[in-house]
Amino acid sequence: MIAESISVLVDIRKYDGSVSARWTATRLGEDGHGVWLSTAQGVPVISAKGGWTSRFAYVMLVPRGEWWTATFCADPGPEMYCDVCTVPEWNADGTALRMMDLDLGVVRPRGGTAHIEDEDEFAEHRVRYGYPDGVVDKARKTCEWLTEAGRRDGDGVEPFASVYRHWLGLIR
């Protein structure tokens, strides 16, 4: 685990190319699970629907070659929020990250059980944006895997069980 402090533009798009969310995070470092970014409470976020500021501090794991990202939030945010997306891609110098949001999310509220969110949005956008069958299959399989992997208190797999706590502790 290497501690770093590099600004990273996180650029998440919808399948049609419109902005889903865009903000600047800080690269904390990386480990065997991927690259860890942090976002402080109050960071401005831009989207096609308007802007907002982050409600709480969090760390985001960007795994290598996977169809998801995982966000782990400080109180009072959800313990875990995983976004199903296309494989995240870095620019050459590691200062920008881009992916396509595929709508599905797996959320584990503090003290709760992991569950799937936004299935209705996924169904609507599948038609509107014309998701290819291969993308639909991969998104659904990824969502199912995240739901199992994100089980609470060590019943899940790393980094969802406890590894994230180290990284979250760096920003509190």
Side-chain angles (χ1 to χ4, degrees):
M1 296 184 229
I2 300 167
E4 301 173 2
S5 186
I6 299 168
S7 288
V8 174
L9 175 64
V10 180
D11 186 12
I12 304 173
R13 302 288 173 144
K14 290 294 186 183
Y15 208 77
D16 69 346
S18 63
V19 176
S20 178
R22 190 173 194 207
W23 73 97
T24 300
T26 301
R27 183 181 173 121
L28 292 175
E30 61 185 288
D31 63 12
H33 301 288
V35 175
W36 292 86
L37 305 175
S38 70
T39 300
Q41 182 177 6
V43 168
V45 179
I46 298 167
S47 86
K49 296 179 182 178
W52 65 88
T53 58
S54 55
R55 294 180 297 161
F56 28 75
Y58 58 87
V59 293
M60 179 175 158
L61 171 62
V62 183
R64 294 169 198 87
E66 299 292 342
W67 284 62
W68 55 271
T69 61
T71 300
F72 302 95
C73 304
D75 260 337
E79 187 174 13
M80 177 190 86
Y81 191 103
C82 297
D83 280 307
V84 176
C85 57
T86 59
V87 174
E89 297 177 359
W90 293 94
N91 70 344
D93 66 1
T95 60
L97 175 68
R98 190 168 186 184
M99 68 205 82
M100 296 286 179
D101 177 12
L102 296 175
D103 313 306
L104 294 170
V106 176
V107 180
R108 183 175 70 207
R110 229 160 266 295
T113 303
H115 63 276
I116 299 169
E117 290 193 350
D118 298 328
E119 290 179 282
D120 54 340
E121 187 177 356
F122 177 73
E124 178 188 327
H125 288 173
R126 176 185 181 186
V127 173
R128 182 188 301 167
Y129 301 142
Y131 294 169
D133 290 342
V135 168
V136 170
D137 292 343
K138 187 65 176 175
R140 285 187 173 146
K141 286 177 183 168
T142 299
C143 197
E144 290 170 17
W145 181 84
L146 286 166
T147 303
E148 282 301 309
R151 299 177 114 191
R152 322 196 23 76
D153 298 329
D155 288 337
V157 299
E158 294 297 359
F160 309 104
S162 64
V163 165
Y164 70 90
R165 291 183 184 123
H166 163 77
W167 297 98
L168 192 54
L170 295 177
I171 64 167
R172 291 190 189 181

